[in-house]
Amino acid sequence: MHKKFKVYLSESFDPKFNLSIEEWLMDCSEPDEVILFLWQNENTIVIGRNQNPYKECDVKKLKEDDVCLIRRLSGGGAVYHDLGNLNFTFISSDNNYDVENNLKVIIDAIDKFGIKSCFNGRNDLLANERKFSGNAFISDKGKSCHHGTLLMDVDLDKLSRYLTVSPLKLQSKGIESVLSRVVNLKEICPQMTIESLKTALITSFNEFYNTETKIIILNENGIDVAKYVEKYNSWEWNYSESPDFSIVLENKFDWGIFEINLELSDGKITNCKIFTDSIELEDFKILEKSLINVQFKRSEILSIIEKYIKNGKIKQGLSNFISDKIHM
Amino acid sequence: MKYDLIIEKFSGHDTSGKIGKINKKAGDSLNSGDTIFSIESGKGTIKYTSQYKGVLEQLSITEGDIVKKGQVVGTVEGELFKETEVVKAKPAYSFGLAKPVQKSYEVDVAVVGGGPGGYVAAIRAAQGGKKVLIIEENRLGGTCLNYGCIPTKALVSSIDALEKIRRSESFGIEVGDVKFSLEKIMNRKNEVVNTLVSGIEHLMNAHEIEYLNGKAEVKDSETLTVKNKSIDATIKFQKLIIATGSKTAILPIEGASSEDILTSQDLLKLTEVPSSLTIIGGGVIGMEFAFIYNSLGTKVNVVEFFPQILNNMDADVAEVIRTSAIEKGINIFESAKASTIKSALDGTKIVEINENNESKYIISEKVAVAVGRKANLESLDLTKLGVELNERRNGIMVNASMRTSNPNVYAIGDITNKIQLAHIASHQGIVAADNINGIENEMCYDLIPSAIFTMPEVAHVGLNEKDAGAQNIDYLIGKFPLMANGKAQAMGETEGFVKLIANRETRKIIGGTIVGVHATDMLSTISNIIASDLTIDKAAHVIYAHPTTAESIHEALLNIDGRGIHFA
Ligand SMILES: Cc1cc2nc3c(=O)[nH]c(=O)nc-3n(C[C@H](O)[C@H](O)[C@H](O)COP(=O)(O)OP(=O)(O)OC[C@H]3O[C@@H](n4cnc5c(N)ncnc54)[C@H](O)[C@@H]3O)c2cc1C
């Protein structure tokens, strides 16, 4: 089959825009197109399709530091992106799709900087036995997408700070992230820059397919993907599209120990149990019941507490406690 | 009919996978194409979509379960929808959209160039209620913010700190080895620049000025176009303000246009301190960089064609700077004409100069040229606009209202080649915008202040002795050395003086120069004295706070009549 090659570059660092473009390319590219798309996100945690944000990262820290959290279409683990990271996406129809080819394009591009790298057979590209690229794959409606990160000069402190085991007691059925030893390419080749890496990838893509692709620049002004952006911007997609999970929140107040067990599905509370040794006269049973079917959002839970807890001290304590634990 | 839901495939050649998010539960109605759940395996993620229209009777899996190829995971009551019957989602967006968007604007005022001329004019025009659009091909802030006044002053501030630390012992402070990092100094400079540039972006927003990033081109005398990666714009304007600035002038000698000859812009982004540097041009820009790189450890040579460095200044002013430079180890060659620049085999540069008809050679690692700036006359098609050049053909001709030969077009700043200073550009911008807003305003060049950030600083306003002499004005001078000023002594910075010039007949102050610490910040006091038309006696009848360096201005005023208190 005749193939058409296209290279897209995003000028935007907004993860909502970039993931929208990726999905749009999956949906709308022609069957004969083979696409390379390069993009960067600013200060973002991207979780896998089947992950739970509360589990994978410290949502409180993300909120405090203004880090964006977003769910992607493909599975796999959570990753941290900043401007030291370059993302690549290969999209083509299933019959033009070959992960080996894509990997060759990447490995050859990295080789131009004198860095030898290899695929570890799972999801990672390694150089000097350390991971510099995590890959994930998705196929849908006859199209396949292979995308990954390239750690060029990522703030590794932040990476480990945000992707820590959640301080919340939580059990989830979804997919867990695997932490591995990572390396920034710049550490191996100090001259490398994001720009030179982009150029190398495009050159390598052209060389591999023996073509001269025109580069298409994308940004918010040039293209309207508002429909997709709406989804990537929504609490429903980013937070509630997680597999079912349960969470235990506990705290010692001056009026007693309080423990609440929640089971959640589609972002809603499906089951709730409260244990407390408080001797205050307060009907926690009614709180348990009223929380069922409520969205696992701070504002929703606070309004239930406001409505059903009578004792002012307990109300205040619980409200502060919930605000401290739930950040969306 | 009843159908079994069977796991038919995974990504790639995987044979088992893990159930991810389940989107449908038993009892839910199904359409063909609906996602029921997703499966993750080593080779990727796929959605398990329904081929049926009906009801999901039961689902025997839960999230996180491992499933194998061929496994039955549930049942559906309904009908099978063949592939062809599935309504294929129509692409909602076409690829054509990724091309630049065509836009057309109709504005009262278009400004080309976002330097201190252009952005100030844009703000003033917007303040007058005009609909304004500004076009800048590089970065807002122009030369001044990005490659001129501000970055050089950020470097000077680092150097000031460095020099202070080096002299710390004289203040009774001991520090260990002083180290600096050129990279960090440059980063700090970049941060200063970026902060200011984003400040201007904010100002554009706040005044609802449309900003287009791209190169403006003239379509006809009423229309501009701008094309960049995302837009393809046509701009119809009532009035146009040209503020396209200037660029480094090239020295017309052998070797000067070679790639490795540095300009002021290059000097702002060196990544290593050169061991030696020859600067051709001992004017303001050349001298500022001479002191900067000297402090960083470079052996600096300055070659000046005129009989003195900072040739516009009085001889006693240049003398202070020359002495300071020589003391610091800068080599100064005055009345010296650079005639060729050659490269040795190892890349070192050889500058041939002629001093008193004698050829000499200066060898250095790098050579920089700072011999002035040329108006960007080719930046726009002036003929199409009907805009004419001045007599010397080195700038756009304008009248005192900044209007060009085309009554709808104004030009301001370096492009007019009147006086190439940022504050002149800004002031001309205000004059042009006022006239556009229907307020008569004219530019007057009598009281131009200038500031030079050498070590020590120089500041000047109005006439100097050279000018007064040239204009045959009978003048008086009053001079006061900073050495006699208490504050300067306390600071340990006693080089320099304040010099005031008064008209002997009218006894009015007509000019002043300060060389020394705080010179540039003190200058406006003298500007105000001159602008208020004060006589020596009136001006001296003002109390100056003690102890300040500004007391030197008071003393200089008194010294015009030989009545100074602290200097005899
Ligand atoms: C090293 C150095 C130090 C300096 N220090 C000082 C100082 O301390 N004090 C001082 O007063 N002055 C200083 N100057 C001078 C000062 O920078 C200039 O006088 C001032 O920037 C002139 O302003 P302007 O608005 O006329 O032009 P510029 O600042 O040059 O701005 C013109 C802008 O127009 C843009 N442009 C040109 N053509 C087009 C086009 N066709 N379409 C779109 N955009 C276009 C350019 O990209 C540029 O940004 C210094 C200059 C240099 C080089």
Side-chain angles (χ1 to χ4, degrees):
Chain A
M1 184 155 128
H2 178 72
K3 292 179 198 164
K4 278 199 269 177
F5 301 96
K6 286 205 167 147
V7 173
Y8 289 86
L9 278 183
S10 168
E11 285 186 331
S12 169
F13 300 143
D14 177 1
K16 300 182 284 290
F17 176 77
N18 288 324
L19 289 180
S20 294
I21 290 294
E22 201 177 48
E23 195 175 344
W24 167 72
L25 288 171
M26 286 274 286
D27 282 354
C28 300
S29 59
E30 302 293 327
D32 56 352
E33 281 176 348
V34 175
I35 291 171
L36 170 63
F37 168 43
L38 300 176
W39 46 292
Q40 287 187 280
N41 289 340
E42 199 159 9
N43 227 11
T44 304
I45 295 284
V46 184
I47 57 169
R49 170 67 188 87
N50 295 304
Q51 291 199 301
N52 184 325
Y54 293 102
K55 171 129 197 241
E56 295 310 322
C57 42
D58 189 337
V59 179
K60 185 176 179 188
K61 266 196 214 138
L62 299 193
K63 273 270 123 187
E64 280 167 6
D65 294 359
D66 221 8
V67 179
C68 178
L69 181 134
I70 196 160
R71 183 189 299 278
R72 63 171 184 263
L73 283 181
S74 68
V79 283
Y80 172 70
H81 291 185
D82 64 18
L83 296 185
N85 176 63
L86 178 66
N87 301 299
F88 62 83
T89 302
F90 291 97
I91 288 172
S92 63
S93 57
D94 292 351
N95 38 5
N96 282 337
Y97 178 75
D98 187 341
V99 174
E100 298 291 320
N101 291 351
N102 301 341
L103 291 170
K104 178 117 177 54
V105 168
I106 304 287
I107 289 171
D108 285 353
I110 304 295
D111 190 58
K112 292 187 197 297
F113 297 93
I115 305 176
K116 298 279 168 247
S117 58
C118 62
F119 191 59
N120 72 351
R122 286 199 320 271
N123 294 332
D124 307 334
L125 280 162
L126 312 178
N128 293 353
E129 281 158 41
R130 287 195 287 168
K131 164 175 170 175
F132 65 87
S133 167
N135 293 248
F137 316 88
I138 167 142
S139 10
D140 189 24
K141 297 188 209 111
K143 295 272 181 56
S144 284
C145 160
H146 164 194
H147 58 193
T149 54
L150 289 167
L151 277 68
M152 213 284 302
D153 192 13
V154 171
D155 189 336
L156 298 180
D157 282 348
K158 284 195 176 160
L159 185 144
S160 52
R161 182 151 18 114
Y162 298 130
L163 295 178
T164 42
V165 184
S166 159
L168 300 172
K169 268 199 204 169
L170 185 147
Q171 278 192 329
S172 166
K173 291 173 175 164
I175 302 290
E176 288 179 22
S177 299
V178 192
L179 289 178
S180 23
R181 258 160 52 89
V182 295
V183 64
N184 272 320
L185 289 172
K186 205 178 171 95
E187 219 176 280
I188 313 180
C189 173
Q191 300 91 289
M192 188 185 265
T193 60
I194 290 287
E195 282 313 309
S196 61
L197 182 55
K198 274 188 203 163
T199 313
L201 286 164
I202 296 168
T203 313
S204 174
F205 182 80
N206 282 334
E207 283 168 359
F208 185 85
Y209 289 113
N210 193 18
T211 168
E212 261 303 320
T213 350
K214 254 213 347 256
I215 297 165
I216 304 159
I217 308 279
L218 298 169
N219 61 30
E220 285 91 342
N221 297 329
I223 181 161
D224 180 10
V225 284
K227 267 200 199 155
Y228 293 95
V229 172
E230 201 178 303
K231 160 175 143 183
Y232 286 106
N233 206 10
S234 67
W235 176 84
E236 281 71 19
W237 170 253
N238 291 321
Y239 284 86
S240 75
E241 271 288 327
S242 310
D244 296 356
F245 69 108
S246 64
I247 186 167
V248 181
L249 304 172
E250 59 186 336
N251 197 35
K252 216 167 129 188
F253 296 93
D254 50 12
W255 40 266
I257 292 174
F258 178 87
E259 180 186 303
I260 181 165
N261 290 259
L262 299 169
E263 280 174 26
L264 296 118
S265 184
D266 292 334
K268 276 192 190 148
I269 299 169
T270 51
N271 214 337
C272 176
K273 280 270 163 303
I274 291 171
F275 303 97
T276 174
D277 61 359
S278 165
I279 47 161
E280 302 279 356
L281 278 177
E282 183 67 62
D283 189 359
F284 289 108
K285 280 281 163 247
I286 188 146
L287 184 63
E288 272 183 0
K289 267 204 215 105
S290 316
L291 279 171
I292 307 272
N293 257 334
V294 166
Q295 283 187 331
F296 189 58
K297 269 189 188 166
R298 179 198 280 182
S299 55
E300 304 280 323
I301 297 176
L302 289 185
S303 69
I304 296 290
I305 292 172
E306 178 62 36
K307 195 158 157 197
Y308 293 104
I309 298 289
K310 290 184 201 80
N311 180 313
K313 196 165 59 172
I314 297 184
K315 184 186 283 193
Q316 188 61 39
L318 284 184
S319 301
N320 291 346
F321 168 61
I322 291 296
S323 300
D324 184 48
K325 295 290 178 197
I326 304 173
H327 310 281
M328 282 306 291
Chain B
M1 244 184 102
K2 220 186 252 319
Y3 294 94
D4 281 343
L5 291 176
I6 301 169
I7 304 285
E8 281 165 354
K9 64 165 189 180
F10 296 98
S11 256
H13 302 291
D14 289 331
T15 53
S16 73
K18 199 171 188 175
I19 302 290
K21 175 77 189 169
I22 298 178
N23 303 76
K24 298 280 176 192
K25 53 182 192 299
D28 283 357
S29 63
L30 281 184
N31 266 314
S32 178
D34 282 357
T35 303
I36 305 178
F37 52 88
S38 68
I39 316 173
E40 280 197 29
S41 63
K43 287 282 173 289
T45 307
I46 58 166
K47 291 179 185 166
Y48 188 97
T49 48
S50 167
Q51 306 170 49
Y52 312 98
K53 188 176 160 56
V55 174
L56 180 62
E57 275 202 339
Q58 59 115 356
L59 203 57
S60 59
I61 43 168
T62 57
E63 289 165 342
D65 283 358
I66 304 284
V67 290
K68 290 205 158 47
K69 204 166 174 170
Q71 187 174 334
V72 177
V73 294
T75 52
V76 173
E77 176 63 53
E79 292 152 51
L80 179 68
F81 255 68
K82 285 202 208 80
E83 194 66 34
T84 49
E85 290 167 85
V86 179
V87 190
K88 231 188 143 198
K90 226 176 125 206
Y93 308 98
S94 90
F95 280 85
L97 275 173
K99 288 202 207 102
V101 185
Q102 294 220 338
K103 269 198 175 163
S104 47
Y105 296 88
E106 277 188 32
V107 296
D108 300 325
V109 183
V111 180
V112 182
Y119 82 76
V120 169
I123 292 174
R124 177 50 68 95
Q127 284 170 342
K130 295 284 185 289
K131 192 173 164 201
V132 185
L133 181 145
I134 188 166
I135 307 164
E136 165 59 56
E137 64 174 325
N138 191 345
R139 297 218 309 164
L140 282 177
T143 307
C144 171
L145 243 71
N146 295 291
Y147 315 106
C149 334
I150 297 300
T152 50
K153 267 83 262 181
L155 292 186
V156 166
S157 303
S158 287
I159 298 305
D160 267 353
L162 183 63
E163 291 290 323
K164 276 234 170 68
I165 297 167
R166 284 179 178 152
R167 293 194 295 123
S168 62
E169 251 191 69
S170 68
F171 291 93
I173 300 161
E174 272 179 45
V175 285
D177 266 358
V178 186
K179 276 198 235 144
F180 66 84
S181 141
L182 184 62
E183 188 186 347
K184 287 186 183 153
I185 291 177
M186 291 295 181
N187 285 346
R188 172 184 182 274
K189 172 210 72 181
N190 294 342
E191 271 169 35
V192 170
V193 168
N194 292 340
T195 308
L196 290 171
V197 170
S198 61
I200 296 186
E201 281 165 11
H202 166 78
L203 286 175
M204 295 298 107
N205 275 333
H207 288 92
E208 295 180 5
I209 296 164
E210 186 85 39
Y211 164 44
L212 297 183
N213 186 237
K215 185 174 168 61
E217 295 196 38
V218 180
K219 192 169 169 214
D220 56 51
S221 64
E222 297 168 345
T223 325
L224 297 174
T225 58
V226 177
K227 231 185 197 164
N228 65 23
K229 285 171 287 186
S230 49
I231 64 163
D232 181 353
T234 310
I235 302 110
K236 269 224 168 322
F237 57 83
Q238 300 285 324
K239 303 280 180 209
L240 172 67
I241 300 178
I242 303 177
T244 51
S246 62
K247 58 169 178 266
T248 305
I250 297 172
L251 188 64
I253 63 167
E254 181 192 334
S257 43
S258 158
E259 287 240 311
D260 50 2
I261 302 297
L262 308 175
T263 63
S264 59
Q265 201 164 331
D266 300 320
L267 289 172
L268 287 171
K269 55 179 189 208
L270 291 189
T271 51
E272 274 169 41
V273 178
S275 61
S276 52
L277 168 70
T278 302
I279 301 174
I280 302 178
V284 175
I285 296 175
M287 288 311 294
E288 288 186 358
F289 278 111
F291 280 97
I292 292 172
Y293 277 97
N294 169 266
S295 253
L296 295 174
T298 303
K299 180 79 201 145
V300 178
N301 311 300
V302 176
V303 180
E304 173 54 56
F305 174 75
F306 286 113
Q308 75 173 43
I309 51 165
L310 306 179
N311 193 51
N312 294 332
M313 297 288 151
D314 283 341
D316 53 351
V317 176
E319 173 62 27
V320 175
I321 303 304
R322 183 187 305 109
T323 309
S324 161
I326 292 170
E327 264 173 23
K328 291 184 189 303
I330 299 174
N331 290 326
I332 308 266
F333 302 88
E334 290 164 320
S335 296
K337 184 174 180 293
S339 51
T340 61
I341 307 171
K342 295 208 163 92
S343 294
L345 278 179
D346 64 354
T348 25
K349 292 280 170 189
I350 305 165
V351 179
E352 182 186 355
I353 62 168
N354 290 305
E355 214 181 8
N356 312 319
N357 286 327
E358 229 184 289
S359 266
K360 288 182 187 167
Y361 296 92
I362 306 173
I363 297 179
S364 57
E365 184 190 331
K366 299 248 147 87
V367 172
V369 173
V371 293
R373 305 203 28 105
K374 235 178 71 198
N376 277 326
L377 296 174
E378 11 14 87
S379 59
L380 286 175
D381 189 335
L382 300 178
T383 324
K384 259 194 209 165
L385 285 172
V387 166
E388 282 165 27
L389 299 187
N390 61 17
E391 262 172 32
R392 296 171 61 194
R393 312 204 61 74
N394 65 359
I396 292 180
M397 180 178 69
V398 285
N399 64 12
S401 321
M402 306 318 294
R403 195 174 280 140
T404 68
S405 49
N406 173 342
N408 288 327
V409 179
Y410 292 73
I412 56 172
D414 284 5
I415 190 79
T416 63
N417 215 342
K418 293 257 179 200
I419 297 168
Q420 295 185 327
L421 287 172
H423 41 278
I424 301 299
S426 299
H427 207 81
Q428 290 176 331
I430 288 180
V431 169
D434 276 350
N435 284 302
I436 289 173
N437 288 337
I439 302 161
E440 265 178 47
N441 193 350
E442 289 198 344
M443 194 62 199
C444 161
Y445 300 92
D446 287 349
L447 247 195
I448 304 301
S450 63
I452 309 174
F453 294 81
T454 41
M455 284 179 197
E457 301 181 341
V458 179
H460 171 78
V461 62
L463 302 185
N464 59 19
E465 288 191 67
K466 279 186 182 174
D467 305 326
Q471 295 177 25
N472 281 323
I473 297 173
D474 189 7
Y475 64 89
L476 297 164
I477 62 168
K479 211 166 153 180
F480 184 80
L482 285 175
M483 204 152 62
N485 175 268
K487 181 70 174 288
Q489 281 288 350
M491 293 171 70
E493 308 212 26
T494 52
E495 292 165 289
F497 54 79
V498 175
K499 178 166 79 174
L500 297 176
I501 298 186
N503 184 315
R504 188 190 295 270
E505 200 185 330
T506 62
R507 294 188 55 79
K508 290 201 175 138
I509 307 296
I510 52 176
T513 306
I514 311 173
V515 202
V517 65
H518 294 172
T520 55
D521 296 315
M522 276 195 274
L523 185 70
S524 4
T525 305
I526 303 180
S527 298
N528 281 323
I529 292 174
I530 302 174
S532 319
D533 228 9
L534 296 184
T535 58
I536 302 166
D537 313 276
K538 274 247 171 83
H541 204 70
V542 167
I543 302 173
Y544 285 74
H546 179 72
T548 59
T549 44
E551 286 173 282
S552 313
I553 297 175
H554 193 216
E555 292 276 2
L557 279 166
L558 296 171
N559 263 339
I560 299 177
D561 295 325
R563 296 189 297 137
I565 304 292
H566 290 94
F567 191 64

